[in-house]
Amino acid sequence: MQKAIAYARERRVTYLDQFRDWLRIPSISALPEHGADCVRAAQWLAGHLREIGLPRVEVIPSQRNHPLVYAEHARDANAPTVLFYGHYDVQPVDPLELWTTPPFEPAQRGDRLYARGASDDKGQVFAAVKAIEAMIATHELPVNVKLLVEGQEESGGEEIHAYVPRHRKKLAADCALVLDSGFFAAGVPAITVGLRGILYTEIEIQGPKSDLHSGVYGGAVPNPFHEMVRVLALLHDKSNRVRLPGFYRAVREPSEEELRMWRALPGSDADLRAEVGAEGLTLEDGRTSLECRWSRPTLEIHGVGGGFSGAGGKTVLPAKALAKVSMRLVPDQKPEAIFKSLDRFVRRQVRPAYRVDVRKLSTGRPWVVSSEEPAVRAAAQAWTVAYGAEAKFIRVGGSVPIVDVFKNTLRLPVIVTGFGMPDDNLHAPNEKVELPAMWDGVDAVIRFFHEFARTRR
Ligand code: BES
Ligand code: MN
Ligand code: MN
C-alpha cells in the first residue's frame, strides 16, 4: 500500500496537467449542443484507463451522446471486487459573467483549482483513477475493480438506468464505491449514509391558443399565469409543510441514535442562515436544519416561464405558463406515488377554463445504508486515516439516483463519499476543488481498497 501511495505522490505535477486536459472538455449533458463534447470526455477517460493498464475498457454507445464508460481489471478470482461509480458530465455554466475565470479554462489560485466539474464529479473520478493507476503500477492492487462512469447523472441518467439491470452479471461485485459526495465541513471528512431521492416535474397551464393583447382581451379571457401562481401557492402551508395528500405518509423518521449524531456535528441553524445570506430559515416546526435537509421531503419551485418578464413593459396576455417543480424524497417515499398525488392535486385545482399538463421529467429513489455495514466501516477507517481526522457519518440532501439501483438491483452495499467541500460551488459559478483534498483522496481510495480487502479476508 505504501508503495502505491508514494507512487501517486511523486506524480502529482503530471497528474494535474492530465486533469486540466479533461476539465477543458465542456461535457454538459443537459445541453444537446454539447453532445460531441460528452462523447469526447468519455473517450478521454477511456483512453486514460487504457494507458494506466486496465485490460478491458469500453465506451458504450449511447442514443443521446452520453456514453457510459466501463472498465475492469480482474486480478484474482479469490479477491473481492469493488465497483467504482462516478460521472463525467457537468452542469451548465450560466450565469457565465459571474465566473472569475472561464469555466472550461482550469485556473489554479492558491490550493484551489477552478473549473466546471472540478469537484462534481471529474475531480473525484480522476482521484479514483489515479489511485487505481498507482496500485496497478506498484503491483499493489488488492481487489478486482470494475468502473462504471456515466455521462448523464446531471440530466436524468436514462442510459445507466437501462444498462445496469441488463448487465447484472457483468457488474457483479462485493461493494460499490461512489465518489460523488464529500466532507461535512472543512476539516470534517465524512461518509454519506443517506441521500434524498428526487421527482422532477413540469406543470404547463394553457389559456388561449396564442399570446393576446391584454387590453383588448383581458378580463374575459383566462390568463394561465393567474391560475399557475394560485395553484403553486397551494403547495405549501404556513408552517412550510407540503400540502399534497399523502405526501408524508411513507416518511420514516431517523433513529434517535442518528439524530444524536447529527446534533453532535459542528454548526448551528444560525450559521446556516449566515452561510446562505437569507433573512431567516423555513424550518418545519421543531426540527433542526440538518433534519430538514437530510431526513425530510421537500417541494421546490425552480422557475416559472412563459409570458413576459424582460426589461420594460409588454402588455401581453400569455397563452401558456410553465413551472418547473421538484420534490426531494426520503425513505420510504416512492416517486410514482408522489407523482400521482401531485398530478391529481393540480388537475383538481385547475379550473375548466384552462388546460393543464403535469409531466414527470426524472426520478430517483431515496437511499440509506447502515453505518455498521462493514464496507462503510472500511471506508470510514480509510477516510479517517487519509485525512487525519475522524470521518463522520452524515446524510446529504442531494440525490445520486443510481445509488438505489446499485443497492436494490445489484444487491450491493454502497459507499457514498468523496472530498467535495460545502463551499465548492457545485452547480454554481466558480466551482472549484481543493487540491490537497483531491490528493489525499487518492490516498484514501488506496487505503479503502486495502481495508476492504482485509476485512473480506
Ligand atoms: N453530486 C451531486 C449530489 C450531491 C450534492 C452529493 C451535494 C453531495 C453533496 C449530484 O451530481 C447531483 O447534483 N445530483 C442532482 C441529481 C438530479 C439532477 C437528478 C441533484 O441532487 O440535484
Ligand atoms: Mn455529482
Ligand atoms: Mn451535480
Side-chain angles (χ1 to χ4, degrees):
M1 183 174 80
Q2 293 307 334
K3 274 196 279 171
I5 290 176
Y7 180 98
R9 274 192 193 162
E10 283 158 18
R11 286 165 177 76
R12 286 180 184 172
V13 176
T14 313
Y15 289 176
L16 190 59
D17 281 338
Q18 298 167 339
F19 182 38
R20 285 164 172 272
D21 287 340
W22 199 27
L23 287 171
R24 282 193 195 95
I25 306 174
S27 45
I28 306 170
S29 60
L31 305 177
E33 61 270 32
H34 285 283
D37 295 318
C38 291
V39 174
R40 271 206 299 142
Q43 280 163 348
W44 185 95
L45 177 63
H48 205 76
L49 291 168
R50 285 187 196 105
E51 253 167 54
I52 68 168
L54 285 163
R56 176 174 176 190
V57 180
E58 300 166 25
V59 176
I60 296 154
S62 133
Q63 304 284 318
R64 289 182 46 221
N65 288 327
H66 303 139
L68 289 165
V69 177
Y70 176 78
E72 68 179 49
H73 191 5
R75 219 195 98 260
D76 172 356
N78 294 315
T81 301
V82 176
L83 172 66
F84 173 81
Y85 166 88
H87 60 94
Y88 68 77
D89 65 321
V90 303
Q91 283 274 328
V93 295
D94 49 278
L96 194 55
E97 65 280 8
L98 295 185
W99 286 77
T100 305
T101 49
F104 297 108
E105 292 173 25
Q108 190 172 345
R109 297 196 275 284
D111 273 344
R112 300 166 160 192
L113 186 68
Y114 289 83
R116 172 57 90 226
S119 175
D120 185 15
D121 187 34
K122 284 174 173 166
Q124 311 222 43
V125 173
F126 188 76
V129 169
K130 293 293 119 179
I132 293 166
E133 170 183 332
M135 287 184 279
I136 294 176
T138 56
H139 307 282
E140 282 188 347
L141 185 61
V143 296
N144 302 308
V145 282
K146 299 179 177 178
L147 294 100
L148 186 62
V149 180
E150 81 165 305
Q152 221 173 26
E153 195 275 341
E154 305 288 12
S155 57
E158 285 143 51
E159 306 270 348
I160 198 169
H161 279 86
Y163 189 82
V164 171
R166 290 202 198 114
H167 296 85
R168 288 176 216 234
K169 272 234 180 75
K170 179 177 184 177
L171 300 173
D174 296 286
C175 76
L177 174 64
V178 173
L179 287 196
D180 195 16
S181 187
F183 278 43
F184 174 71
V188 187
I191 307 298
T192 299
V193 295
L195 291 164
R196 288 197 287 192
I198 187 165
L199 165 63
Y200 203 111
T201 69
E202 63 188 13
I203 302 171
E204 189 177 282
I205 299 181
Q206 173 115 34
K209 66 179 191 289
S210 67
D211 286 4
L212 298 171
H213 188 295
S214 68
V216 176
Y217 293 98
V221 172
N223 182 325
F225 265 83
H226 300 178
E227 197 68 348
M228 182 66 87
V229 297
R230 194 181 65 77
V231 171
L232 294 180
L234 292 171
L235 292 171
H236 292 94
D237 70 13
K238 286 204 183 89
S239 33
N240 306 310
R241 285 172 62 98
V242 178
R243 291 188 58 224
L244 296 178
F247 190 72
Y248 294 95
R249 194 174 300 143
V251 170
R252 203 196 316 158
E253 294 287 344
S255 67
E256 275 307 316
E257 161 73 17
E258 217 173 350
L259 288 172
R260 238 192 330 272
M261 287 202 294
W262 298 355
R263 268 182 241 119
L265 290 169
S268 66
D269 293 352
D271 295 338
L272 174 66
R273 199 194 59 69
E275 177 195 328
V276 302
E279 296 299 321
L281 298 175
T282 50
L283 306 176
E284 278 183 66
D285 290 344
R287 298 186 189 269
T288 65
S289 61
L290 287 183
E291 266 181 275
C292 290
R293 292 191 288 160
W294 291 356
S295 64
R296 299 297 292 169
T298 61
L299 181 150
E300 299 286 342
I301 301 167
H302 303 290
V304 183
F308 174 77
S309 58
K314 177 187 179 193
T315 49
V316 63
L317 193 166
K320 267 183 200 176
L322 181 76
K324 301 274 185 179
V325 176
S326 84
M327 285 133 277
R328 295 285 169 169
L329 309 178
V330 302
D332 298 314
Q333 288 177 300
K334 302 266 181 296
E336 302 76 22
I338 302 295
F339 180 74
K340 256 189 209 151
S341 176
L342 174 76
D343 186 56
R344 287 180 77 178
F345 183 86
V346 172
R347 279 173 199 288
R348 280 227 178 122
Q349 282 300 334
V350 172
R351 290 167 298 182
Y354 302 89
R355 266 164 292 182
V356 60
D357 196 17
V358 185
R359 293 186 285 263
K360 193 194 299 181
L361 298 190
S362 68
T363 62
R365 288 172 186 261
W367 163 86
V368 284
V369 68
S370 165
S371 57
E372 303 293 321
E373 165 63 46
V376 170
R377 296 244 144 225
Q381 173 65 20
W383 253 246
T384 297
V385 176
Y387 288 101
E390 193 196 350
K392 304 287 185 189
F393 297 109
I394 63 167
R395 291 201 205 178
V396 156
S399 309
V400 183
I402 202 62
V403 170
D404 166 77
V405 180
F406 288 159
K407 176 187 176 186
N408 283 311
T409 303
L410 297 182
R411 302 265 155 217
L412 298 180
V414 190
I415 298 138
V416 177
T417 184
F419 46 81
M421 299 296 159
D423 67 350
D424 274 354
N425 300 320
L426 304 190
H427 299 199
N430 302 311
E431 180 177 348
K432 54 92 177 156
V433 67
E434 302 279 342
L435 290 170
M438 185 171 91
W439 300 131
D440 287 341
V442 176
D443 297 8
V445 172
I446 295 172
R447 288 179 190 281
F448 168 71
F449 277 30
H450 281 84
E451 188 66 24
F452 185 65
R454 203 175 60 77
T455 59
R456 279 281 164 154
R457 228 172 267 137

